[in-house]
Amino acid sequence: MLALLTDLAYLMTALWESARLRGVIRRWSELRYRTSGGIYANHIARTKDYGAPLREALRALPAHPHRILDVSTGTGYAAQVAMSMFPEARSYACDLSTSMLSAARVNLSRTALICCDSAHLPFRNGAFDLVLLQNAPPPLRELARVTAPGGWVILGFSAAGRLPAWLPEKVVRRLATYGLHSARWIRTGRGLYILGRLDVLEDAA
Ligand SMILES: C[S@@+](CC[C@H](N)C(=O)[O-])C[C@H]1O[C@@H](n2cnc3c(N)ncnc32)[C@H](O)[C@@H]1O
């Protein structure tokens, strides 16, 4: 139940995009994840199908990405899954919490780790052809900004499968306003994923 409510809150922040709400959730995350790297790793291990939506979304990609960013990586779970599927890619992962990043360092040997707020990613426009975010607040505009034209954004939520359809539908429509007109959402297992490709000029023509 708590995981469902947390996913609900994360998806709502994607829609409201209010600096104040984002500040509150960021402060809550700072407190919640200040010292929880090891605890969170146990939570992942105990949660059935934790990465099922993410894995299904990654399998739906039509091509191998070369530059991957995992935003709000926590202990590095999503980056680890992506790197196991695309071992040739260069990968980056970021998070606010240094405790989570310490746990990620153990799990991710070939990934550059960066401590930052996901609302202000320290990357140039279009730097990645795959941007992942799982079980965290998604700053949609910023995720779209760092995605290359023709690149992909995946949002995965492990427990959001029972949320009403209007919520992921609205997120999909919001992604379209940032240039991901092909975005779609799929329920899978206990969760859901949203997958979108950033338009290239020919798409718009
Ligand atoms: C529930 S954990 C999920 C971690 C990981 N993505 C996974 O699926 O296992 C949420 C993570 O989001 C991070 N986070 C929350 N708000 C953030 C923000 N504004 N910027 C960067 N990281 C943030 C937290 O520090 C925490 O590590």
Side-chain angles (χ1 to χ4, degrees), residues 10 26 29 33 40 44 50 70-75 77 95-97 100 116-119 134-137:
Y10 288 156
R26 182 195 151 131
S29 294
Y33 297 109
Y40 202 77
I44 293 176
Y50 183 80
D70 178 16
V71 177
S72 300
T73 190
T75 59
Y77 182 91
D95 201 281
L96 267 181
S97 157
M100 291 296 236
C116 68
D117 183 350
S118 58
Q134 178 178 260
N135 298 338

Side-chain angles (χ1 to χ4, degrees), residues 57-131:
L58 287 168
R59 280 195 292 267
L61 292 177
H64 283 206
H66 301 294
R67 296 160 299 163
I68 300 174
L69 173 65
D70 178 16
V71 177
S72 300
T73 190
T75 59
Y77 182 91
Q80 225 181 342
V81 171
M83 288 305 283
S84 69
M85 291 172 80
F86 310 116
E88 307 301 323
R90 290 183 63 182
S91 77
Y92 294 75
C94 59
D95 201 281
L96 267 181
S97 157
T98 50
S99 168
M100 291 296 236
L101 286 172
S102 300
R105 188 159 292 118
V106 177
N107 297 328
L108 299 168
S109 53
R110 294 188 301 111
T111 298
L113 299 177
I114 297 113
C115 187
C116 68
D117 183 350
S118 58
H120 306 283
L121 295 170
F123 304 107
R124 64 178 169 76
N125 296 354
F128 298 96
D129 45 21
L130 176 61
V131 176

Side-chain angles (χ1 to χ4, degrees), residues 133-198:
L133 177 145
Q134 178 178 260
N135 298 338
L140 300 183
R141 185 198 299 265
E142 189 64 348
L143 301 182
R145 182 187 70 74
V146 297
T147 304
W152 297 85
V153 172
I154 292 175
L155 309 178
F157 297 94
S158 305
R162 282 187 291 139
L163 292 178
W166 63 262
L167 187 50
E169 270 162 18
K170 273 182 181 268
V171 174
V172 161
R173 282 204 290 279
R174 182 64 59 83
L175 278 170
T177 68
Y178 297 131
L180 289 101
H181 286 97
S182 66
R184 62 183 193 273
W185 72 278
I186 311 276
R187 277 189 225 273
T188 172
R190 294 174 55 249
L192 65 82
Y193 71 82
I194 296 169
L195 173 66
R197 178 172 174 261
L198 190 68

